[in-house]
């Protein structure tokens, strides 16, 4: 059983940067593709980014491409989401998720484990 704990959320202004971290415990981290999802106020959960088990390949939602970067460090069981040029519409609870497969997907149902979420609020 894998436990995921996000950190790094907070209140920032539009244009600022923030980095989220997600630490995994209880499993072999390098066995999992990792993803970030978010759920804004009154919205459904949506895909943000994913990274393969090795970290060699990444994928992004169009809304964050060029502004966000996902990365992972298998030595410390952590996946990161670097968020730059933040916009008010990025305001959401951000969740990290683990999938028992080589690569992540856009579909939240394909992920096996979830963190509790980290709130990111971007003011205009």
């Amino acid at each position: 059983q894998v436990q995921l704990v996000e950190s790094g959320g907070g209140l920032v202004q539009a244009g600022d940067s923030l980095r989220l971290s997600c630490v995994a415990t209880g499993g072999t981290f390098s066995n999992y593709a990792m993803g970030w999802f978010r759920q804004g106020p009154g919205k459904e959960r949506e895909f943000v980014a994913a990274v393969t088990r090795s970290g060699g390949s990444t994928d992004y939602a169009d809304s964050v491409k060029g502004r966000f970067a996902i990365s992972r460090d298998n030595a410390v069981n952590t996946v990161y989401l670097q968020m730059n040029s933040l916009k008010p519409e990025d305001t959401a609870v951000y969740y990290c998720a683990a999938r028992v497969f080589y690569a992540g997907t856009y579909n939240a149902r394909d992920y096996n484990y979830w963190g509790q979420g980290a709130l990111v609020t971007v003011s205009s």
Side-chain angles (χ1 to χ4, degrees):
Q1 187 76 8
V2 175
Q3 289 82 43
L4 303 173
V5 178
E6 301 95 337
S7 62
L11 172 63
V12 296
Q13 293 187 335
D16 285 351
S17 297
L18 205 59
R19 187 176 82 158
L20 301 180
S21 301
C22 173
V23 177
T25 59
T28 303
F29 185 65
S30 58
N31 285 349
Y32 301 94
M34 298 298 296
W36 285 96
F37 288 76
R38 67 185 182 185
Q39 187 165 14
K43 298 181 181 179
E44 295 187 352
R45 191 171 299 192
E46 64 175 359
F47 170 78
V48 175
V51 61
T52 55
R53 290 191 303 207
S54 67
S57 182
T58 57
D59 200 6
Y60 298 92
D62 288 343
S63 59
V64 306
K65 202 169 293 183
R67 299 188 298 122
F68 290 12
I70 187 172
S71 62
R72 65 188 297 162
D73 186 340
N74 287 347
V76 294
N77 296 349
T78 302
V79 61
Y80 305 97
L81 184 68
Q82 178 66 43
M83 304 183 291
N84 300 326
S85 301
L86 282 161
K87 305 175 181 180
E89 51 263 44
D90 294 319
T91 294
V93 176
Y94 284 73
Y95 299 90
C96 71
R99 183 183 186 217
V100 184
F101 198 67
Y102 171 73
T105 75
Y106 291 57
N107 190 343
R109 296 180 181 179
D110 291 335
Y111 290 79
N112 305 95
Y113 304 101
W114 290 84
Q116 83 291 346
L119 177 62
V120 173
T121 303
V122 184
S123 64
S124 58

